[in-house]
Structures are given as C-alpha cells and as structure tokens.
Amino acid sequence: MRATMVGRAVSTGAAAILAVALRCVAPAPLGAQGGAARDSAVQALNRLAWGPRPGEADRVAAAGVMVWIEHQLSPERIPDDALRARERAFTILRLDVDDLARRFVAARRDQQARRRDDTTATEAPPGRGTEAAALRRLGAETQQLAVVRAVLSERQLYEVLVDFWTNHFNVFYAKGADRYLLPAHIEETIRPNALGRFEDLLIATARSPAMLFYLDNAQSVASGARPPIPPRAVRGLTAEQRDMVAQRMPRGLNENYARELLELHTLGVDGGYTQDDIVNVARILTGWGIERPGQGAAFAFREWAHDRGEKVVLGERFPPGQGMDEGIRLLRMLARHPATMHHLSRKLCARLVADEPPDGCVDAAVAAWRASDGDVRAVVRAIVRTPDFWAPAARRAKVKSPLEFVVSAVRATGAVPDSSLRLARLVGRLGQPLYLQSAPTGWPEAQADWVNAGALLARMNAAVALAAGRLPGAAADLEAVLPNAVDHARFVDLVNERLLAGSMTDRTRAVILDQLRDVTDPAQARALAVGLAIGGPEFQRQ
C-alpha cells in the first residue's frame, strides 16, 4: 500500500493544518454532540485534569461534573493503585537526599579525575564516569515520573496543581547541588502542600534546600559575619592556607531569594514593595541555609550568619534581637498580604480559565482566599464555581504547553506510558525540558510562548507517530478506542466526537479526508486520521 503514508502526511497535510493553526487565534467552540453536560465535562477534564481519556467525558457527565470536581478536591480519598504500581519502577523514589548527595559527590570526583586524565593524556580507568551517568539517569527519571503521574493518576486535579506550584516555585535542576536536592523539593515540599494552605507551602519552600541553593540564600550572611571554622578543617595548614579557607566561606548579603520571594512567590511585581524592603527581607532570612551533603543536606538555621538588627518590611517593624522566628513571621505576613492574594489568585485563574483571566474569576478567588486564610482547595473551588470558568469564551481558549500536549495525547488515545525516559525526552524536544527552566519565573503560561510553525510541526510528527504505534515510551491501542476506518467520512466524524469533542473545523476535516483519499487499509487510515486530528489545531487547545 502506501508505506510512506505517515511521512507524506506530515510533509503535506500537516502543512495545511498548521496554516490553520497559526491563524486560529480565537478559541474554537465545543460541539453539541453530547449536550451541555458533556461539554461541561470536557471543559473540566481539560482544565482540572490532563485531558479526557476515552469515554471519560461521558462518564463524568453521567455522574455529574460538580460531583467529579468535589471528588477531585479530596484526592486523599481517591485510590491510585495503577499509579502506585508504576511508581515502583522508579529508583529515584527509593533514594533519599543522602543517597543522591553521595552519588553527586562521587560524580564530581569522577569528572575531576577525568579532567586530570585528559590533561596527562592517560587512559581513564574502567568504570570512571559511571556515577555521573547514573546521576543523569536519575534526573531523567524525575522528569519521566512527572509525565507518568500526569497520565496515570486518578487524582488529576492534584497533579495539575502539583505542576502549577512546581512551576511557581521553580528550581533549576542543572544548577550544582540541585541535582540531588530537587527530588526532595518535589516529593517533600510541593506534593504534600499542593492542596493545603498557601502559608504552609510558602514556609516549606523557604526551608527547601533546593530553593535556598538555587536562589543563593544559603550563601547569604549578615554583614561582617564570619563562620566558625572547625579546627580540624585547618589543622596542619599554614596561615596563608587558613586565610584561603576563610575566604571561601560565605560572606555578605545576597538578595536573590528575597527579590524573587516578593516579586514572584508572593506580592507580584506590582506588589508595592521597594528596594529597601528587598534588602530587609534578605537580612531577615540570613542564616537560612543547608547542612553539608555528608550531614544530610537538610535545612539548617545558622545563628552566626543571622542579622539580629532591626528591620522594617512593608511598614512592619521587626525588632532587634530576633532569630529564625522573624523569618516565619515574615513569611506568614507575606502569605496573607492583599497583594499576594491578588497575585496568586490571578495566576491560578490564568492556569485554570484564561491567559488573561476575567476580573470576576480573580475577585471570587481573592474572596475565597481571604475567607479561608489561603486554603488552596477553597480558592480552586471558588474559581470553578464562577460563570467565567464555564463561559463559552473560556472553552478551548488556552494553548497547551508541550507537557500538556504530550500527556493529553497519550490519555486521549488510551496509551499506557512505560517507565523508560522517552516521553519526558519528547516533552523536552517539544520545548519544555522539565525542571530545566533556568529563570526563576518558571515556564510561561500564555499561548504566544508556545505557538510557532516549528513547534506545531514537531507536535504533528509526535501525534502521527503515537497514532501509528511508533512513539517510543507509550503503547497506544487504537483498536480499543476507535473502530477501523472503513467509511472515511463517518470515521473522521467519529474522531471529531471522541477526541475533539466536536470542535473540528470544516477546514481540518477536509484536510484529513484528503489525506485519507487513497488509503485503503482501514487500520492505516485510522492511525493517520487520529494522528492528524491530535496534531491538528483543535487538539492544541484546551
């Protein structure tokens, strides 16, 4: 038959569909096949989950969309056996910070030894470099685990919020010690607090060794403070060598974390703070550091590094002589500040409703924040109860990020991700390598950051490969989702109903039918139609 059909479709039909996608700036309406209840179910599954699985929209509509949402707001009551079974394949979950730190130190020693070998032109001993390779694989496991959880978990809203907060409190995995600190940041800081009180989450992130290292607060000490140097560290050294050891010790104030704490994590760029506030926040947080890798690499408050002078932040006086307690007071004050309520409410509405969230949604979220003292569960509940969340203008108004696209495509086809690292690598190739955003802002939310011809063509290629069973890392069983495509026109209509909720445009339908015109093999036609639909403009929106 046409052995090269898939490749030819991507080079010809995809071009036409991508042209539509680039012009598709207005959201496409949901179809009417399932009625209002099904349309609402699709909206909920696209925003409060990682996209519907085969038949899931009908099941949610039948049970009641608000019933499903309330169920999702209590993830601790939802069994997640399939995910738990798959998680057992991930070595990273069986290692603690000490284990990872030892591997990191060993990898650094390997790298230094390899440099010496290169310098002296000697042959590297067998096995040298294996620790670095093992550490890289564990990092890739951390990325893959995020994809697997999003695809398989029954606690879909919880996983959406884990992703939201992980991005909000972004940590760059490739920065030094964060190669062994990041997994604990996710497992012990973000995940336990994703649906709790924002104040608790904020304090947890401020104490997170990964965050303290990433934004340099572990190096921030009071002006003039000098660390005590253990005698054993300088025993046998000359005076000059002891001076060199002292010079390598942290000294001076570092404002990086203080600035991002105010600008990104709490008040927002328009939150009304000044440079003096940044300096005083940094002074309050001096001494918040990290134990050495061999001592657990846990959070540590260092009295010698703390500035005990008086500070004033946002008009609030912090009297002299205080210790770590004033940092906790500061974080609680910031968590409850009106600017924080607005900034975070707007950001949640941007994730769940629209890139430019309506004022009504933000106002409702702020009111819930104030009434619940920052309970994330209450704020999300308020957002989904606003008319803005369900308004026609909000339907398919957001373009999927690469992670959202990959996960929703795997879920839509009923595919099952394996425990290899391939899906996470695909997300990276599509432009969003997980945990590797170097800027503290995290990955962008707006569609302009994700929509361009090259990115959409790459998505089309991935979609066609998934539907054809050629996407490494996920095995799709299309036969269980859709019958063979015997009558092309009827089959495309069925694809439209089951995968696109009736949103396929006439132009997209015509392009897919044109590509199917001389395909006589029903299974091949099914794979091609599904791949083009998932890679097309309508599926890129949620």
Side-chain angles (χ1 to χ4, degrees):
M1 193 56 56
R2 275 169 60 180
T4 60
M5 170 57 68
V6 170
R8 199 171 77 81
V10 174
S11 63
T12 57
I17 292 180
L18 287 167
V20 178
L22 292 172
R23 294 195 302 270
C24 188
V25 294
L30 286 174
Q33 285 92 334
R38 188 172 188 270
D39 286 353
S40 296
V42 171
Q43 175 72 349
L45 287 164
N46 275 331
R47 299 301 178 78
L48 307 178
W50 292 89
R53 293 172 293 192
E56 192 169 19
D58 292 326
R59 293 191 293 272
V60 170
V65 177
M66 297 309 296
V67 171
W68 179 83
I69 291 173
E70 283 300 320
H71 194 52
Q72 288 291 314
L73 283 167
S74 299
E76 65 280 359
R77 301 179 183 177
I78 303 175
D80 222 355
D81 297 339
L83 175 59
R84 296 288 90 82
R86 182 56 55 86
E87 284 178 333
R88 287 196 286 271
F90 287 85
T91 305
I92 190 67
L93 293 178
R94 298 193 294 274
L95 300 175
D96 60 19
V97 173
D98 281 342
D99 296 324
L100 294 172
R102 281 193 294 270
R103 289 170 182 249
F104 176 79
V105 171
R108 292 288 290 269
R109 287 173 179 163
D110 271 359
Q111 289 173 342
Q112 292 168 356
R114 287 172 69 87
R115 291 193 191 102
R116 289 195 299 271
D117 292 338
D118 292 341
T119 302
T120 57
T122 59
E123 185 176 346
R128 183 163 287 172
T130 55
E131 287 291 351
L135 195 64
R136 286 195 297 272
R137 179 175 177 81
L138 290 170
E141 272 200 17
T142 303
Q143 296 172 312
Q144 179 73 6
L145 183 58
V147 179
V148 168
R149 282 168 163 167
V151 172
L152 292 181
S153 180
E154 297 297 328
R155 304 170 182 180
Q156 282 285 289
L157 175 57
Y158 170 71
E159 294 299 337
V160 167
L161 289 171
V162 166
D163 178 69
F164 174 82
W165 291 122
T166 301
N167 201 49
H168 180 73
F169 294 106
N170 181 57
V171 168
F172 180 41
Y173 165 72
K175 181 178 178 178
D178 277 325
R179 289 187 178 276
Y180 61 85
L181 295 173
L182 177 69
H185 177 74
I186 297 166
E187 301 300 322
E188 300 171 16
T189 299
I190 302 295
R191 293 184 68 83
N193 295 291
L195 263 172
R197 292 171 67 243
F198 178 74
E199 177 182 304
D200 297 332
L201 175 58
L202 182 64
I203 293 172
T205 58
R207 291 170 53 96
S208 167
M211 183 66 74
L212 293 169
F213 181 85
Y214 170 53
L215 293 178
D216 304 315
N217 203 79
Q219 298 297 314
S220 184
V221 303
S223 178
R226 291 292 182 268
I229 301 176
R232 66 179 181 277
V234 295
R235 187 177 295 125
L237 300 183
T238 66
E240 182 180 0
Q241 289 171 329
R242 285 196 295 270
D243 286 343
M244 291 176 63
V245 170
Q247 288 296 324
R248 288 197 297 268
M249 294 295 182
R251 60 175 60 207
L253 199 65
N254 189 299
E255 300 172 8
N256 285 357
Y257 177 58
R259 181 175 291 104
E260 307 307 349
L261 176 64
L262 298 182
E263 179 180 329
L264 299 177
H265 298 174
T266 57
L267 305 178
V269 68
D270 299 318
Y273 60 89
T274 67
Q275 175 60 27
D276 285 343
D277 290 321
I278 293 173
V279 170
N280 282 310
V281 167
R283 291 175 60 209
I284 287 173
L285 294 174
T286 49
W288 289 50
I290 312 167
E291 294 284 6
R292 297 181 65 82
Q295 299 170 334
F299 170 79
F301 179 72
R302 304 192 186 282
E303 293 280 356
W304 65 265
H306 185 61
D307 185 329
R308 291 187 167 273
E310 180 181 77
K311 303 101 174 172
V312 177
V313 176
L314 301 171
E316 290 287 325
R317 177 177 177 267
F318 291 75
Q322 305 299 302
M324 181 179 165
D325 55 324
E326 67 177 354
I328 300 297
R329 177 191 163 194
L330 167 73
L331 294 166
R332 287 176 174 159
M333 181 186 83
L334 292 174
R336 295 169 179 170
H337 196 281
T340 298
M341 296 182 192
H342 188 273
H343 176 56
L344 270 296
S345 293
R346 193 179 193 282
K347 202 167 179 182
L348 278 164
C349 287
R351 174 64 183 258
L352 300 178
V353 180
D355 290 349
E356 292 296 328
D359 290 341
C361 174
V362 178
D363 292 344
V366 169
W369 190 296
R370 184 176 292 109
S372 67
D373 196 20
D375 181 74
V376 176
R377 201 181 314 246
V379 174
V380 173
R381 181 181 288 114
I383 290 172
V384 300
R385 288 182 176 179
T386 62
D388 295 321
F389 182 85
W390 306 102
R395 294 174 178 174
R396 299 193 183 276
K398 291 178 62 65
V399 171
K400 295 173 182 176
S401 68
L403 176 61
E404 289 167 332
F405 167 70
V406 170
V407 173
S408 63
V410 172
R411 284 173 61 83
T413 57
V416 179
D418 60 29
S419 55
S420 73
L421 313 176
R422 293 165 174 171
L423 287 181
R425 288 170 179 160
L426 172 61
V427 174
R429 290 197 299 274
L430 293 179
Q432 192 183 8
L434 300 180
Y435 312 124
L436 289 175
Q437 169 59 282
S438 60
T441 50
W443 293 108
E445 189 66 47
Q447 73 169 44
D449 296 290
W450 301 121
V451 175
N452 61 71
L456 291 171
L457 181 58
R459 293 187 186 201
M460 176 69 76
N461 281 317
V464 172
L466 173 64
R470 296 190 297 103
L471 182 66
D477 182 9
L478 290 185
E479 190 173 356
V481 180
L482 292 160
N484 279 335
V486 178
D487 183 313
H488 291 171
R490 290 183 181 178
F491 183 76
V492 172
D493 290 340
L494 189 61
V495 169
N496 180 28
E497 177 186 348
R498 294 191 181 179
L499 298 184
L500 302 179
S503 66
M504 185 184 290
T505 63
D506 292 340
R507 178 66 181 275
T508 299
R509 185 176 187 274
V511 169
I512 295 177
L513 285 174
D514 180 66
Q515 292 301 298
L516 294 177
R517 187 177 61 251
D518 57 349
V519 182
T520 58
D521 180 87
Q524 195 175 59
R526 175 179 58 204
L528 180 58
V530 169
L532 291 174
I534 291 175
E538 294 83 9
F539 193 81
Q540 308 311 310
R541 292 189 169 273
Q542 60 180 0

